Amino acid sequence: MPRPRIAIAELSHETNAFAAQRVDLAFAERCGIVRGPAVIARARETATVVAGFIDAAEELGFELVPLLAVWITPAGVVTQEAYETLVGELIAGLHTAASIDGVLLSLHGAMVAEHVLDADGELLRRVRATVGPHVPVLAVLDLHANISPLMVEQADILIGYHTYPHLDQRERGRQAGHLLVRLLHGTIRPTAALVKPPMLPTSQRMTTDQPPMRTLMERAAELERDRRVLDVTIAGGFPPADVPEAGLSVLITTDDDPILARQLAEELAALAWELRSGFLGGVASWEEAADAIRSIRRGPLVLVDIADNPWSGGPGDSVELLRFLLREGVRPAALALVRDPEVVEQCYRAGVGATVEVSLGGKTDDLHGPPLAVRGTIQLLSDGRYVNAGPMHAGVTVDLGRTVVLRVDGIDVLVTERAESPIDLNVFRAHGIEPTEQRVVALKGKGHFRAAFEPIAERIVLVEGPGITGSDLRRLPFRHIRRPIWPLDLA
Ligand SMILES: [Zn+2]
């Protein structure tokens, strides 16, 4: 058999239907689209799915045909033009590339376009229509995917991450490559079962190192030891996508045993339902956070606002953490981040060392609190680019746009042009701030920050200001989710 030619592509977006920032082409381009050989060059030796595809190709000797790759920062719905352009380019690439033997995709599984609710399912449908029924199509999905029957139907195998923080992306990409080759050799015949209990958990307690997800993942690992089981995926889902398929999914792929797949998926779904109350809570009140700060010994206390998490589609411009830290007189402290391009521009004009009076944040919409008038000195101006030390997304370059370190009453605030979740210590170190020397390190996040910040934290406290990414789903005016669903309608 000649070397198989495997097309690879990444088109990943987690859509928060309530976010004001729509994903148009300019937004997607700003996130960094690469094409052809650059797909491989950028991903090599990073902790990403595409790097796992490359690993598998090198181990098993298949040829990669890289089409395009973009990881679009979570935000609002994808415009029709952006979706059609990017998916159209992927499909055109498949048409143009001669004799493709298989397709490996890195998707999120919670993308929504303004004209297609199940944007990943539709993407897979078009890929399948292009390559035909006999060319294997495998996709790796995020742990926060809202898996739909259409996605399952159109792909040969779907594989979800096993970890949150997502530390196994490269391993899952590699697994997909290995399963693809087994499919090409005709040694497996995948049969999948998808079961979706009526559950819509939020993710502040979805990290896989603690129950209930740890319990579910341990059971999944046991099931995967059975040779008849090719993959067990438990996706926690992403509620703010506001689609009928939003919520927890169990997807089991067996080798030619649909009855076993169904039976095991039902079993795991029942276990998830039984453990559902474990997904609730985990968020402190601001008073409790203030008490925790008063009892810090060495620090840092890592204080995280989950309601304006950029990687759940939050605008990143809430200033509730800063308002709180100033009120409590906490110093030294460092905060990542407040997205405010207007203030960045003002600071760039003023220059390093200048003192400025600005109206900071709270400008995107009226859902994330009002702006805050502050007086600060400009410590540093940067291009906002740094490389993650890891473990999560190790080797990946982050681009915050032009960035300012503004010192306000002993608190160093990263003010940026773009919003990304601060998941790596280098978000501070690249800007001359040592996180371990702070009393409080304040972040916008949910779970990913734990991979890098838990080891340096004396204590972690989650809080929530106003915002669209918090734990209280009653804040969100859902239109498309299935009802009744837990925890909104069912106990
Ligand atoms: Zn995720």
Side-chain angles (χ1 to χ4, degrees), residues 14 71 108 142-145 161 163-164 166 237-238 311 392 448:
E14 182 183 71
W71 190 89
H108 185 287
D142 194 275
L143 179 130
H144 298 103
Y161 307 160
T163 56
Y164 176 41
H166 304 330
F238 186 63
W311 278 7
M392 184 172 165
H448 291 313

Side-chain angles (χ1 to χ4, degrees), residues 451-476:
F453 286 91
E454 216 155 43
I456 68 153
E458 175 182 325
R459 185 170 172 192
I460 289 172
V461 177
L462 305 188
V463 288
E464 51 188 331
I468 58 172
T469 72
S471 71
D472 184 1
L473 293 179
R474 289 168 307 183
R475 288 183 185 182
L476 302 177

Side-chain angles (χ1 to χ4, degrees), residues 200-278:
L200 195 60
T202 51
S203 60
Q204 78 280 357
R205 294 194 66 197
M206 208 180 271
T207 49
T208 47
D209 64 344
Q210 60 178 4
M213 270 311 241
R214 190 181 68 203
T215 316
L216 289 166
M217 290 301 178
E218 282 169 358
R219 182 65 186 133
E222 275 168 34
L223 298 180
E224 278 188 336
R225 282 200 282 274
D226 185 329
R227 288 179 59 87
R228 299 169 298 171
V229 176
L230 298 176
D231 178 74
V232 177
T233 285
I234 302 166
F238 186 63
D242 190 18
V243 294
E245 309 301 339
L248 188 131
S249 307
V250 178
L251 175 63
I252 306 235
T253 308
T254 54
D255 186 6
D256 204 14
D257 196 336
I259 293 167
L260 179 68
R262 169 66 47 185
Q263 186 192 320
L264 297 180
E266 298 280 3
E267 183 208 305
L268 267 181
L271 180 59
W273 177 256
E274 202 178 297
L275 299 173
R276 64 191 178 284
S277 66

Side-chain angles (χ1 to χ4, degrees), residues 107-381:
L107 307 176
H108 185 287
M111 177 164 62
V112 181
E114 56 189 4
H115 61 311
V116 195
L117 284 179
D118 183 1
D120 294 285
E122 174 60 16
L123 184 159
L124 284 162
R125 193 193 62 75
R126 293 186 196 182
V127 168
R128 172 60 69 203
T130 307
V131 300
H134 304 300
V135 170
V137 176
L138 283 80
V140 178
L141 303 176
D142 194 275
L143 179 130
H144 298 103
N146 295 317
I147 303 179
S148 72
L150 180 64
M151 294 179 208
V152 177
E153 206 176 278
Q154 299 298 327
D156 288 85
I157 302 179
L158 296 176
I159 294 169
Y161 307 160
H162 292 181
T163 56
Y164 176 41
H166 304 330
L167 298 172
D168 65 329
Q169 297 181 50
R170 186 170 180 172
E171 183 51 32
R172 297 283 80 74
R174 183 172 168 271
Q175 180 192 354
H178 278 253
L179 284 170
L180 173 62
V181 167
R182 291 173 69 190
L183 261 168
L184 286 174
H185 291 157
T187 57
I188 52 170
R189 191 167 172 277
T191 45
L194 172 68
V195 176
K196 296 176 74 74
M199 288 174 66
L200 195 60
T202 51
S203 60
Q204 78 280 357
R205 294 194 66 197
M206 208 180 271
T207 49
T208 47
D209 64 344
Q210 60 178 4
M213 270 311 241
R214 190 181 68 203
T215 316
L216 289 166
M217 290 301 178
E218 282 169 358
R219 182 65 186 133
E222 275 168 34
L223 298 180
E224 278 188 336
R225 282 200 282 274
D226 185 329
R227 288 179 59 87
R228 299 169 298 171
V229 176
L230 298 176
D231 178 74
V232 177
T233 285
I234 302 166
F238 186 63
D242 190 18
V243 294
E245 309 301 339
L248 188 131
S249 307
V250 178
L251 175 63
I252 306 235
T253 308
T254 54
D255 186 6
D256 204 14
D257 196 336
I259 293 167
L260 179 68
R262 169 66 47 185
Q263 186 192 320
L264 297 180
E266 298 280 3
E267 183 208 305
L268 267 181
L271 180 59
W273 177 256
E274 202 178 297
L275 299 173
R276 64 191 178 284
S277 66
F279 287 108
L280 300 173
V283 186
S285 67
W286 292 99
E287 295 71 32
E288 288 165 337
D291 285 344
I293 287 171
R294 281 189 283 273
S295 58
I296 297 171
R297 292 188 309 272
R298 53 182 169 82
L301 181 142
V302 174
L303 181 69
V304 183
D305 183 358
I306 67 167
D308 179 29
N309 173 23
W311 278 7
S312 301
D317 78 340
S318 158
V319 284
E320 296 313 301
L321 280 170
L322 181 58
R323 211 186 299 278
F324 169 77
L325 293 172
L326 290 171
R327 196 172 59 223
E328 295 299 318
V330 181
R331 61 177 75 90
L335 164 61
L337 46 75
V338 178
R339 185 187 68 87
D340 192 329
E342 284 174 33
V343 168
V344 169
E345 178 58 32
Q346 279 173 272
C347 293
Y348 260 76
R349 273 190 266 125
V352 173
T355 297
V356 289
E357 288 184 13
V358 296
S359 172
L360 185 64
K363 300 187 174 96
T364 302
D365 55 29
D366 54 7
L367 301 171
H368 295 83
L372 182 64
V374 295
R375 184 185 159 85
T377 55
I378 300 163
Q379 305 295 304
L380 181 140
L381 301 173

